[in-house]
Amino acid sequence: MAKGTEIVAFEGGQLIKRNSGVKGREVVLALPLSRFIVKVLRFPVDAVASELAEGILSEMTPFPDEPLTVGIEKVCEDERHQVVIAAALPESAAEDVASKLDEEKLNVVSVDALVFGELRTVWGKIGTSGRKIVIFRSPECLSLVILNGDMPCAIRSAALGSDIRRDITLSLLEAEDFCGSAELEEIVVVKRVGDEVVSEDSLNESLTSFGVPVRTIEVDLSDALDSIAERSEETGSLNALPESWSDVLKETRFKAKLTRFVAIACSIWAVALAVLIGVPFVFDYLTDYQKELCRRHSKAFRAVSDKRAKVKLVRKYSDHSLGALEIMKAVSDRLPEGIILSSWSFNRDEGLDIAGDSADSSSAYQLKDVLAEMASGEEEEGTLVFGSVRLGPLNKHKDGRQKFDLKCLFKEAE
């Protein structure tokens, strides 16, 4: 959907770009989980999940008069049910984001939660067995994801410095109501590379009160943005783009297309006008110029042509490779046994006519083939080259010998 589009994250009041080298004003925006209204929902497999999710999230919004545009992403599906993640971005909760985007003159084509990019990045390190709590720390909030195997069953954000135990307890109750009861195996804390605060504050002390192992893994923000880029190219991935933002995107694209169309039309009109006005002047100028060139070079051309004709004539009569003696020698060297020539007629411009008799018809045909092969290619210097060799009808004498006529034409000059 957004292939080749730049990925931008908003955290701590700043826009963070992926620096992928992609240029343009259209971006995919990744926001902290605290900006969204998000919930994991289960519906019958034949239900329209987007309509049902919109109704549920509309009841959860702190801005009841504000319409929500709900994006959904299917997590899993069986024969009876489908599990989806539904999220909406209230515009009232993203006014500072919109202002920053306007300053940078960026248009958003898709809105995703940054935590889903981080989750994809560290998925191989978390494991997919049992029930786990995965906590992602960002400059704006703590994001809690309860996993039951490989399926998210509860998602929640918590403010930094709040009582994390309360939010974890509420998330575990929600997961139990969604997937049933199960033992909590471990808690995984995902911190950003270079962030040492996690090990120094009271977060780990609050987590150890749950009596399960707590381990910490790291994630790089650039890797998370790369994962957001992969998600944006996948069909069915979450997109919580508000309707007003979508309208602005459509209007901006329409204006850009209109501007390009007007620019192209003006360019075509200018070119057509220039052609209508300029072509006659250019044509007259080029015509006069060519006439002047012809007059200037005609005398020199005639002199060169006369010289070439003389050179060709001299070369023709100084070339003895096609002379009568050379041809006679070449043909005599190739006479098959039993051939006696009785007539020889040579024309330098046309070719050679020969007559003779042979002991049998095969010798006459052999002579014809020899001369024809000489005409077909692979000539050596000084070898006769015939364009065609024609053998006339054979006449049998009283003594049994075959009388023949051969007409050999030179190859026409190219």
Side-chain angles (χ1 to χ4, degrees):
M1 176 182 65
K3 188 174 183 179
T5 305
E6 180 60 282
I7 310 298
V8 174
F10 183 88
E11 279 189 336
Q14 299 294 326
L15 288 175
I16 306 170
K17 295 186 178 181
R18 187 165 62 120
N19 295 326
S20 62
V22 179
K23 295 183 179 180
R25 298 192 180 278
E26 295 188 355
V27 298
V28 174
L29 180 64
L31 296 176
L33 191 63
S34 58
R35 300 276 182 169
F36 296 90
I37 301 172
V38 61
K39 193 170 182 63
V40 182
L41 303 170
R42 179 186 285 111
F43 301 113
V45 70
D46 57 347
V48 182
S50 57
E51 296 179 359
L52 298 176
E54 184 174 351
I56 294 175
L57 265 64
S58 297
E59 297 178 359
M60 299 170 55
T61 177
F63 312 102
D65 296 331
E66 180 179 334
L68 295 179
T69 303
V70 179
I72 66 168
E73 180 174 341
K74 186 180 295 185
V75 177
C76 62
E77 182 182 69
D78 56 23
E79 296 179 354
R80 298 175 56 192
H81 297 95
Q82 56 179 322
V83 177
V84 301
I85 297 176
L89 175 65
E91 295 183 37
S92 303
E95 292 180 353
D96 55 338
V97 182
S99 300
K100 198 68 177 179
L101 291 170
D102 291 339
E103 290 178 9
E104 299 290 336
K105 298 181 179 180
L106 299 176
N107 298 316
V108 180
V109 299
S110 177
V111 177
D112 201 353
L114 184 58
V115 67
F116 295 145
E118 295 176 316
L119 181 62
R120 173 176 288 204
T121 303
V122 300
W123 185 258
K125 300 178 182 179
I126 294 175
T128 57
S129 62
R131 181 162 296 178
K132 300 178 181 180
I133 301 176
V134 185
I135 302 175
F136 297 87
R137 185 182 179 105
S138 72
E140 290 199 5
C141 67
L142 294 176
S143 302
L144 282 68
V145 180
I146 310 297
L147 295 176
N148 193 62
D150 59 354
M151 182 183 71
C153 52
I155 298 176
R156 178 187 296 268
S157 66
L160 295 175
S162 64
D163 186 4
I164 190 64
R165 289 175 294 185
R166 173 182 174 277
D167 292 288
I168 291 177
T169 301
L170 292 175
S171 298
L172 288 173
L173 291 174
E174 183 179 350
E176 185 173 343
D177 181 61
F178 191 83
C179 295
S181 60
E183 291 292 332
L184 182 63
E185 290 192 358
E186 67 171 341
I187 299 175
V188 181
V189 178
V190 181
K191 68 172 186 175
R192 300 280 176 81
V193 173
D195 182 10
E196 301 295 339
V197 179
V198 175
S199 60
E200 297 175 359
D201 60 14
S202 59
L203 177 60
N204 281 5
E205 296 179 4
S206 300
L207 299 180
T208 54
S209 62
F210 288 91
V212 294
V214 179
R215 63 186 174 100
T216 301
I217 59 178
E218 291 186 337
V219 62
D220 194 295
L221 180 58
S222 62
D223 294 336
L225 294 181
D226 290 339
S227 297
I228 293 292
E230 295 174 1
R231 286 174 50 81
S232 68
E233 297 174 8
E234 297 172 354
T235 303
S237 59
L238 181 68
N239 182 8
L241 182 68
E243 185 176 359
S244 63
W245 291 19
S246 178
D247 294 339
V248 171
L249 176 64
K250 293 177 182 177
E251 181 180 352
T252 303
R253 286 178 172 176
F254 174 77
K255 289 181 179 179
K257 290 181 180 178
L258 181 61
T259 302
R260 287 195 297 269
F261 175 78
V262 172
I264 293 173
C266 291
S267 300
I268 294 175
W269 178 82
V271 171
L273 185 62
V275 169
L276 290 175
I277 297 175
V279 164
F281 293 99
V282 175
F283 182 78
D284 291 341
Y285 170 77
L286 292 177
T287 301
D288 295 339
Y289 178 71
Q290 290 298 327
K291 288 181 179 178
E292 179 63 25
L293 286 179
C294 291
R295 286 192 296 267
R296 194 185 311 166
H297 295 294
S298 60
K299 184 177 180 180
F301 176 77
R302 286 194 296 270
V304 172
S305 297
D306 293 342
K307 182 65 71 175
R308 289 184 62 190
K310 293 177 182 178
V311 171
K312 288 183 178 179
L313 185 61
V314 171
R315 285 182 176 175
K316 177 180 178 181
Y317 288 99
S318 62
D319 184 9
H320 298 290
S321 61
L322 297 179
L325 294 178
E326 286 76 8
I327 293 177
M328 181 176 291
K329 180 180 184 304
V331 174
S332 299
D333 292 342
R334 290 164 174 78
L335 285 178
E337 293 185 5
I339 294 290
I340 299 175
L341 298 182
S342 59
S343 174
W344 178 278
S345 177
F346 172 76
N347 188 310
R348 185 180 184 90
D349 294 325
E350 296 182 3
L352 173 66
D353 293 333
I354 58 177
D357 55 79
S358 60
D360 51 30
S361 59
S362 62
S363 300
Y365 283 108
Q366 184 179 358
L367 177 60
K368 174 185 177 296
D369 293 340
V370 168
L371 298 181
E373 289 175 1
M374 289 169 54
S376 63
E378 296 187 8
E379 307 113 4
E380 298 177 357
E381 186 176 359
T383 302
L384 292 175
V385 178
F386 294 112
S388 65
V389 178
R390 295 196 293 269
L391 176 64
L394 299 180
N395 297 318
K396 189 174 182 180
H397 287 193
K398 295 180 179 180
D399 58 359
R401 295 183 66 82
Q402 300 283 342
K403 184 178 181 180
F404 63 87
D405 293 309
L406 272 173
K407 189 173 186 63
C408 306
L409 299 178
F410 290 138
K411 292 178 64 176
E412 295 182 359
E414 296 181 358

